[in-house]
Amino acid sequence: QVRLVESGGGSAQAGGSLRLSCAASGDYDKRNCMAWFRQAPGGKREGVAGINRRDGTAYIADSVKGRFTISLDNAKNTAYLEIDNLKPWDAASYYCAASRLPCPVYPPDAVYDDNWYNFWGQGTQVTVSA
């Protein structure tokens, strides 16, 4: 099995930055694609970034491109999501997810489909103040 634990959430001002972490443990071969999703109160869960464990290929959703960066430190078994230039609408619970399979490349937005992922963390809350 795989266990994912997010941290790094909190309150930040609009225009500021946050770095979220996802510490992974368990079967290494079941964490081939790591991703970040977010869900605002009353909203749908939205995929924002994904990264392949083996080759580091990263995917960023168009809605956050230029502000969000995903990275992976395999030695530390930790995935990161850097959020820059925070916007009020970035406020949400952020979840880390892992898939047994590599990140899908087709169709183009498949990496942001939560059905692709087998394991989920409990989430970390991000609040943005004006």
Side-chain angles (χ1 to χ4, degrees):
Q1 282 299 80
V2 172
R3 183 168 182 246
L4 305 172
V5 180
E6 301 95 334
S7 61
S11 182
Q13 285 192 321
S17 298
L18 280 175
R19 188 174 81 155
L20 309 183
S21 300
C22 172
S25 59
D27 294 351
Y28 193 64
D29 286 344
K30 293 180 180 177
R31 307 183 247 134
N32 287 299
C33 179
M34 303 290 293
W36 286 93
F37 288 76
R38 67 182 181 183
Q39 188 169 20
K44 290 175 55 178
R45 188 157 56 187
E46 173 193 19
V48 295
I51 188 166
N52 260 326
R53 177 178 61 82
R54 292 186 181 182
D55 65 8
T57 301
Y59 305 85
I60 302 293
D62 288 343
S63 61
V64 299
K65 195 163 289 184
R67 299 191 301 114
F68 284 32
T69 304
I70 188 171
S71 59
L72 183 62
D73 186 333
N74 284 320
K76 295 182 178 180
N77 290 311
T78 301
Y80 301 97
L81 183 70
E82 179 85 24
I83 307 174
D84 294 319
N85 191 16
L86 277 160
K87 307 292 187 184
W89 52 88
D90 292 328
S93 292
Y94 283 74
Y95 298 89
C96 178
S99 170
R100 295 184 180 95
L101 300 174
C103 296
V105 296
Y106 188 83
D109 290 340
V111 67
Y112 310 119
D113 183 348
D114 54 11
N115 290 309
W116 189 257
Y117 299 90
N118 309 105
F119 307 101
W120 293 85
Q122 83 290 345
T124 187
Q125 184 71 36
V126 171
T127 304
V128 183
S129 57

